[in-house]
Amino acid sequence: MMNVTRIFVAAVSLMASTSIALADCTGIPNAAAQPDGAWLFRDSETWRPVHDLGALIADGRSRTVSFVYVANEPDSGLGRRGLLVIKGGVVGTVSTKDDEQVRLTRDAYLKMDVCESYPAFSGAWVSGRSYDDYHDSGYRTPDDAKFRAFHVKYAARSGCRWSNDAKSDAYFAGKWQSNRSQFSFDPSVVAKGQHSQFLALFGITPAYAGQSMTNRRVEIKRYRADKNGLACVTFQVKLKPGSFVRINDLERGRGFRGTELSWKWPG
């Protein structure tokens, strides 16, 4: 009986801590005064806008930096729910197979509303080619099983939604954006949608031709706002010269998606 009781208490505590973490802004002074989509970093005991980060790292030393993303939509209340996609890496030439891989990670998720629960997913590696083919063009890849395990069904603004949903938003001005396209490292795919959706009509399926990247990493974190429509999503990234970080809130914006937020070193 004692063991059962302990397990029950532990489970309740975990659920409580998880629920609090989904919306907790108590450690972020003046969070409610931040605009929706604000991105801050921690400098000693102060939270500052991410565009001030360059001054902190001017010495060129590698370091781990704490960030927070603020969702602030007062008229939405508890209806503001979503998933944050955090993409990072280092600009540089790919010289080995390890350099080319992408690491996928996320927390364990307890059920929210009627959406599913998932165990933690940490430390899985996929090939960069598979990652880009899956998210940029919707192709089948040798790593599809890992992608299916990584992606989740989350509580969105209206019901449950898959993070890798490839169904495009309503067509507008040449854009076929989808949840899956927001995971791309290609800014044109993030902004306009998967290649196979907006270029296949013309027989064009280009590979990403941007800067070479190494040490790519993708993390997803879900959130649920409090009764005031406020949520804070904290995360950490290890930075070194050449690093970049990009974040996409899958549920920011009504009717039209919010733009991708991006930071790089040097700026």
Side-chain angles (χ1 to χ4, degrees), residues 18-248:
T18 302
S19 299
I20 293 172
L22 293 177
D24 187 20
C25 290
T26 56
I28 314 298
N30 300 316
Q34 296 292 335
D36 187 30
W39 184 6
L40 313 174
F41 76 96
R42 187 164 184 167
D43 178 5
S44 185
E45 297 301 319
T46 304
W47 289 96
R48 298 166 55 186
V50 72
H51 58 69
D52 291 342
L53 180 54
L56 176 69
I57 61 176
D59 58 14
R61 292 190 297 108
S62 300
R63 69 195 71 204
T64 298
V65 177
S66 295
F67 294 97
V68 64
Y69 171 83
V70 181
N72 191 4
E73 193 175 343
D75 63 343
S76 68
L78 296 173
R80 178 62 184 271
R81 304 172 296 186
L83 199 74
L84 192 68
V85 183
I86 304 159
K87 297 173 287 189
V90 178
V91 174
T93 303
V94 175
S95 57
T96 69
K97 186 176 181 179
D98 288 342
D99 289 339
E100 185 260 356
Q101 290 186 311
V102 182
R103 184 173 183 241
L104 310 177
T105 183
R106 64 165 169 74
D107 299 329
Y109 292 153
L110 297 176
K111 184 174 292 187
M112 181 189 293
D113 297 335
V114 296
C115 300
E116 298 179 12
S117 58
Y118 298 88
F121 188 94
S122 178
W125 295 87
V126 298
S127 79
R129 178 61 182 270
S130 287
Y131 186 92
D132 295 336
D133 281 352
Y134 183 85
H135 295 97
D136 293 12
S137 302
Y139 296 156
R140 292 182 178 179
T141 78
D143 289 309
D144 278 5
K146 292 181 180 179
F147 294 133
R148 287 192 296 269
F150 170 66
H151 283 285
V152 296
K153 184 185 288 184
Y154 68 96
R157 288 179 179 271
S158 55
C160 299
R161 192 173 185 185
W162 282 101
S163 60
N164 60 343
D165 185 358
K167 182 179 179 181
S168 63
D169 300 341
Y171 176 77
F172 176 78
K175 296 183 179 181
W176 294 91
Q177 294 165 301
S178 65
N179 272 0
R180 191 182 298 192
S181 72
Q182 301 304 289
F183 282 81
S184 175
F185 281 87
D186 183 342
S188 69
V189 173
V190 172
K192 296 184 178 180
Q194 289 184 316
H195 292 311
S196 60
Q197 292 177 315
F198 75 91
L199 289 178
L201 294 174
F202 307 97
I204 304 172
T205 55
Y208 178 46
Q211 291 179 303
S212 296
M213 306 173 189
T214 64
N215 304 113
R216 286 192 287 172
R217 180 180 183 276
V218 181
E219 181 177 9
I220 52 179
K221 284 182 169 287
R222 67 175 182 171
Y223 66 84
R224 181 174 190 171
D226 61 20
K227 63 182 181 180
N228 298 312
L230 182 67
C232 295
V233 185
T234 58
F235 59 96
Q236 291 186 323
V237 180
K238 186 174 182 179
L239 301 176
K240 64 181 181 179
S243 293
F244 65 88
V245 186
R246 302 171 188 169
I247 56 179
N248 303 78

